[in-house]
């Protein structure tokens, strides 16, 4: 536990400066190839797991993953929601109404990173799907952070 905590703190301290230079790019559908590694996620909030990902329609839902490398990919199928994306607690990058889209976040330091995607809007008429995080085969997928013992969300 201590080693994992120290590792993540190092990632946050040394990776945060690079997070400011990270860019979100839309990539062609199908870029996330079969040899990409799906990242284990910590999922917070009301979702329903489906083969395509996690369906949700309430705000306050978020997804976190840990990886080591210079880039990470994510998949969305959500024509209405607004998402906030952060890397290593860096600046928030806003993704508005992504639709059916794959994105790449790159220009990261070759170090461990924590990525978080948070849904910050709600739609009563329909639900969106977050399809998960992925890294190329040569990057390192890591176990998600442990959930806090207690957590209050407002």
């Amino acid at each position: 536990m201590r080693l994992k905590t120290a590792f993540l703190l190092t990632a946050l301290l040394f990776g945060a400066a690079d997070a400011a230079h990270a860019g979100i790019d839309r990539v062609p559908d199908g870029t996330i190839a079969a040899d990409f590694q799906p990242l284990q996620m910590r999922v917070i909030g009301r979702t329903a797991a489906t083969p395509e990902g996690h369906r949700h329609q309430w705000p306050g839902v978020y997804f976190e993953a840990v990886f080591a490398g210079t880039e990470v990919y994510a998949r969305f199928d959500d024509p209405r929601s607004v998402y906030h994306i952060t890397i290593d607690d860096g600046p928030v990058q806003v993704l508005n109404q992504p639709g059916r889209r794959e994105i790449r976040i790159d220009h990261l330091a070759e170090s461990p990173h924590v990525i978080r995607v948070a849904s910050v809007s709600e739609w009563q008429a329909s639900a969106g799907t977050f399809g998960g995080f992925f890294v190329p085969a040569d990057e390192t997928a890591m176990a998600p952070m442990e959930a806090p013992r207690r957590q209050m969300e407002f």
Side-chain angles (χ1 to χ4, degrees):
M1 172 74 177
R2 283 186 179 165
L3 180 62
K4 189 173 187 177
T5 302
F7 185 69
L8 290 175
L9 287 175
T10 301
L12 292 174
L13 289 174
F14 291 103
D18 262 3
H21 302 294
I24 296 178
D25 299 313
R26 181 177 186 160
V27 294
D29 288 343
T31 298
I32 299 173
D35 65 338
F36 276 42
Q37 303 176 67
L39 296 179
Q40 294 179 33
M41 295 186 298
R42 183 166 70 135
V43 179
I44 304 296
R46 299 179 86 176
T47 70
T50 69
E52 293 80 32
H54 289 271
R55 291 188 55 77
H56 60 89
Q57 67 187 90
W58 297 96
V61 169
Y62 59 92
F63 310 91
E64 292 179 332
V66 182
F67 68 99
T70 61
E71 63 184 347
V72 63
Y73 293 75
R75 182 178 287 144
F76 297 85
D77 186 1
D78 190 343
R80 297 192 181 346
S81 296
V82 176
Y83 293 90
H84 285 178
I85 301 172
T86 56
I87 302 279
D88 302 330
D89 289 329
V92 170
Q93 298 186 53
V94 178
L95 183 62
N96 287 308
Q97 302 174 334
R100 188 174 197 87
R101 172 182 293 192
E102 294 178 1
I103 64 165
R104 174 183 60 219
I105 301 170
D106 57 3
H107 302 295
L108 301 169
E110 182 68 51
S111 64
H113 299 284
V114 178
I115 184 169
R116 178 177 176 159
V117 169
S119 174
V120 296
S121 58
E122 75 177 270
W123 294 96
Q124 297 298 318
S126 65
T129 301
F130 178 67
F133 300 109
F134 302 84
V135 293
D138 60 344
E139 304 280 342
T140 304
M142 301 171 67
M145 296 182 302
E146 291 182 26
R149 290 183 189 178
R150 295 183 184 184
Q151 179 168 330
M152 268 188 170
E153 298 280 342
F154 292 96

